[in-house]
Amino acid sequence: ETLQRIVSTLVNKNDEIHNFIDMLNHTISNVQVNSSNAISELDEEFDGLYSVLHEMKGSMASTIQQEEARKIQALQDQLSQCSRALESSEELLELAVQSLDIKNPVELIEVENIDWIVTVASAFRLSLKPKVSDSMTHMMVDFALEKRMLQAVKFLPVPKAPEIDVAACLVADNCITISWRMPEEDSRIDHFVLEYRKTNFDGLPRLKGEQHWELVDYIKATQYTLSGLRFDTKYMNLRVQACNKAVAGEYSDPVTLETKAFVFSLDSTSSHLNLKVEDTYVEWDPTGGKGQEKIKGKENKNSNTASPKRSTNSPRASARGSRDRFAGESYTVLGDTAVESGQHYWEVRAQKDCKSYSVGVTYRNPGKFDQLGKTNSSWCIHINNWLQTTFSAKHNNKAKTLDIPVPDRIGVYCDFDGGQLSFYNASSKALLHTFRAKFAQPLLPGFMIWCGGLTVMTGLQVPSAVKTLQKSENGLGGSTSSLNNVA
């Protein structure tokens, strides 16, 4: 048995050595191929450099030739001008010499204005200095600095790993702004690469069950904002690498930023038969739910049967009430996750053809025929577009008319510990209405719909504008106090 183990060990070790030899041979082949590629790329770079120098030489030589032509033309123009002046001067000289031999006074009178002719002659107005210099020293070059720069050319170094400035990173309004810096100045950095992935683990990334990295390439600045995120996980890992034109450096140490938000789906098992429910969308069913009646009837035979999508041990499953669906005119569906603490925010968008809908919260297990806002355990705002549009806040079967336009999207802010439920125009963040109550039980998001559909947007953080308004708001006036209660 000992010898068998030794033989088995030696066989395994021989296999490992064979595999390692194959890997070394493969590595040698790759080194040769990659070296050849590097030399080809080096030739291309130097050919490009030669091309630039050749082009610069041609351009500068052309400039010298243009300067030569300009100077020669100027001197030739001056030479022509001097030749004409000399010819005129010689004619005047001949005339003056001939005048010296005249004895007849009559003939002298005819040449008496010769002095004026000489005075205005071009030869006396001519500058006898060259218009341009023959020097071309201003066209000389000195490439000493450039030569030293070329002699200093080396292979591009691998960029160092950036350092993420955690203090400058910001998570707000469903966006993440991440900032970083290089450990030392590097003028050869061409761009940065940002990678991020969602996780439910704080601290260092876990390999098991981890989502793949998402990539944002060619970032020129040392800061980037990821926008339009849905925070359906608790954290996000982020890392950055610097790249020059040849090679990418090592990634920075990853950082983990908290991105916790309230995430829920619509619970189809809690839905009225007249509603079609799909995760975050609910729609009025004019057929009365006959197509779903058999399926839902089977589900209701055993009220303890959980949704097939979720196990009974999940937090969301425990948030559902094991009860019959809504009936009568309570066209309601609830969220599958309860609010038990903290501050949370979600949004709702209604179809334009909705005749009537409500958005709010309720305690668990409302009555089969209960409607949102008509019990002391539910709060909502209600929009009625039948005949004419009415907008109101409802609680405990009391309603307050809201004399403001109905927004396209409604934001719901719930501060469970602070006893506050506020509704906002999701676009402008204008406050629509606030309920104040000491919530005694967990709250489930609730929705009522008749003729039309609603889309729910979850995984959203409390907007900064809403946080600012909450700090400055000290309560509602007396006109709304009738809708506030201590539960």
Side-chain angles (χ1 to χ4, degrees):
E1 292 178 358
T2 302
L3 288 174
Q4 185 64 41
R5 286 197 300 271
I6 292 173
V7 169
S8 176
T9 301
L10 289 174
V11 169
N12 292 334
K13 178 56 66 175
N14 287 345
D15 290 340
E16 289 179 6
I17 294 174
H18 279 299
N19 292 334
F20 185 63
I21 290 173
D22 290 340
M23 186 190 72
L24 289 177
N25 288 327
H26 183 68
T27 303
I28 291 172
S29 177
N30 285 344
V31 168
Q32 293 171 338
V33 171
N34 292 335
S35 297
S36 178
N37 292 336
I39 291 174
S40 297
E41 292 178 359
L42 184 65
D43 288 339
E44 291 180 3
E45 290 293 334
F46 270 89
D47 288 343
L49 185 59
Y50 298 150
S51 176
V52 171
L53 290 173
H54 183 72
E55 183 179 347
M56 289 180 61
K57 179 182 177 182
S59 176
M60 297 178 78
S62 176
T63 302
I64 293 174
Q65 291 169 352
Q66 292 173 6
E67 179 70 0
E68 176 190 14
R70 184 187 71 82
K71 286 194 170 187
I72 290 176
Q73 184 64 47
L75 292 171
Q76 285 179 342
D77 291 343
Q78 193 175 17
L79 182 60
S80 298
Q81 186 181 9
C82 288
S83 297
R84 291 193 299 270
L86 180 60
E87 182 180 354
S88 175
S89 178
E90 288 177 347
E91 290 177 356
L92 287 174
L93 177 60
E94 184 179 356
L95 176 61
V97 170
Q98 292 175 358
S99 298
L100 292 174
D101 296 331
I102 296 175
K103 303 299 182 179
N104 189 340
V106 177
E107 292 179 358
L108 284 174
I109 293 174
E110 293 178 359
V111 295
E112 65 180 355
N113 60 346
I114 191 173
D115 59 337
W116 178 82
I117 296 174
V118 172
T119 302
V120 299
S122 58
F124 293 94
R125 292 182 287 108
L126 189 67
S127 173
L128 299 181
K129 181 180 179 181
K131 288 185 177 180
V132 295
S133 168
D134 60 355
S135 173
M136 296 293 285
T137 55
H138 62 292
M139 289 294 180
M140 304 303 290
V141 296
D142 179 8
F143 287 138
L145 176 61
E146 287 74 11
K147 287 178 181 178
R148 289 195 296 272
M149 292 176 62
L150 287 173
Q151 290 169 351
V153 171
K154 298 178 181 179
F155 293 108
L156 280 173
V158 177
K160 294 187 178 181
E163 298 174 351
I164 297 179
D165 186 0
V166 179
C169 296
L170 178 66
V171 179
D173 299 319
N174 306 311
C175 298
I176 291 179
T177 298
I178 181 169
S179 180
W180 61 89
R181 57 178 174 266
M182 294 300 295
E184 59 186 45
E185 186 68 25
D186 188 348
S187 61
R188 296 178 182 267
I189 297 298
D190 180 69
H191 64 274
F192 297 92
V193 176
L194 168 65
E195 289 191 348
Y196 64 95
R197 62 183 175 186
K198 297 177 180 179
T199 177
N200 282 318
F201 301 103
D202 191 7
L204 296 175
R206 272 71 166 178
L207 295 178
K208 185 178 179 181
E210 201 67 63
Q211 297 190 32
H212 68 279
W213 290 100
E214 301 286 344
L215 184 143
V216 182
D217 204 352
Y218 296 104
I219 302 172
K220 294 295 185 179
T222 56
Q223 180 175 293
Y224 190 82
T225 298
L226 295 165
S227 59
L229 299 175
R230 184 172 184 265
F231 291 141
D232 50 1
T233 50
K234 295 181 181 179
Y235 304 97
M236 187 172 288
N237 299 138
L238 303 107
R239 64 185 187 182
V240 183
Q241 69 176 162
C243 306
N244 55 35
K245 292 187 176 181
V247 65
E250 293 293 327
Y251 278 100
S252 66
D253 292 333
V255 299
T256 301
L257 301 180
E258 186 174 4
T259 57
K260 187 177 180 180
F262 184 50
V263 181
F264 67 90
S265 297
L266 299 178
D267 182 8
S268 59
T269 66
S270 73
S271 169
H272 192 286
L273 275 177
N274 281 82
L275 301 181
K276 290 181 180 179
V277 178
E278 296 181 4
D279 197 22
T280 57
Y281 180 73
V282 56
E283 183 178 36
W284 167 260
D285 181 7
T287 66
K290 292 180 180 179
Q292 308 174 51
E293 190 168 355
K294 292 183 179 179
I295 298 175
K296 291 195 175 184
K298 291 180 181 179
E299 292 174 349
N300 286 335
K301 286 182 181 179
N302 186 355
S303 60
N304 293 322
T305 301
S307 168
K309 294 183 179 179
R310 309 184 190 277
S311 68
T312 55
N313 294 327
S314 69
R316 296 184 178 183
S318 63
R320 287 198 299 268
S322 55
R323 56 172 178 74
D324 292 338
R325 69 180 66 85
F326 289 98
E329 294 184 356
S330 181
Y331 306 118
T332 304
V333 63
L334 302 177
D336 64 359
T337 304
V339 175
E340 301 185 31
S341 63
Q343 302 175 24
H344 307 286
Y345 179 85
W346 61 95
E347 294 181 358
V348 182
R349 182 192 294 273
Q351 291 181 345
K352 292 184 179 180
D353 59 349
C354 278
K355 298 300 181 184
S356 179
Y357 61 96
S358 297
V359 178
V361 297
T362 178
Y363 287 162
R364 289 172 172 167
N365 301 327
K368 187 174 183 179
F369 299 96
D370 287 348
Q371 298 180 29
L372 290 177
K374 292 192 175 182
T375 66
N376 64 354
S377 60
S378 63
W379 299 257
C380 74
I381 57 173
H382 177 74
I383 295 90
N384 187 349
N385 290 320
W386 185 252
L387 298 180
Q388 63 180 9
T389 300
T390 59
F391 192 17
S392 58
K394 292 186 175 183
H395 169 64
N396 200 18
N397 208 24
K398 296 178 182 179
K400 172 175 176 54
T401 300
L402 304 178
D403 189 18
I404 48 179
V406 179
D408 294 333
R409 282 185 3 259
I410 296 172
V412 183
Y413 168 78
C414 180
D415 181 0
F416 186 90
D417 302 316
Q420 183 172 334
L421 177 69
S422 297
F423 299 88
Y424 291 86
N425 181 324
S427 299
S428 66
K429 301 301 183 288
L431 179 64
L432 304 176
H433 185 78
T434 294
F435 292 104
R436 295 191 181 276
K438 185 179 180 181
F439 301 120
Q441 299 180 31
L443 298 170
L444 286 171
F447 310 89
M448 187 282 291
I449 183 71
W450 178 62
C451 291
L454 290 176
T455 300
V456 182
M457 288 149 281
T458 71
L460 307 178
Q461 294 183 318
V462 179
S464 301
V466 171
K467 290 182 179 179
T468 302
L469 286 170
Q470 292 303 319
K471 290 180 180 179
S472 61
E473 186 191 22
N474 295 319
L476 300 178
S479 60
T480 57
S481 59
S482 61
L483 295 178
N484 300 328
N485 79 314
V486 176

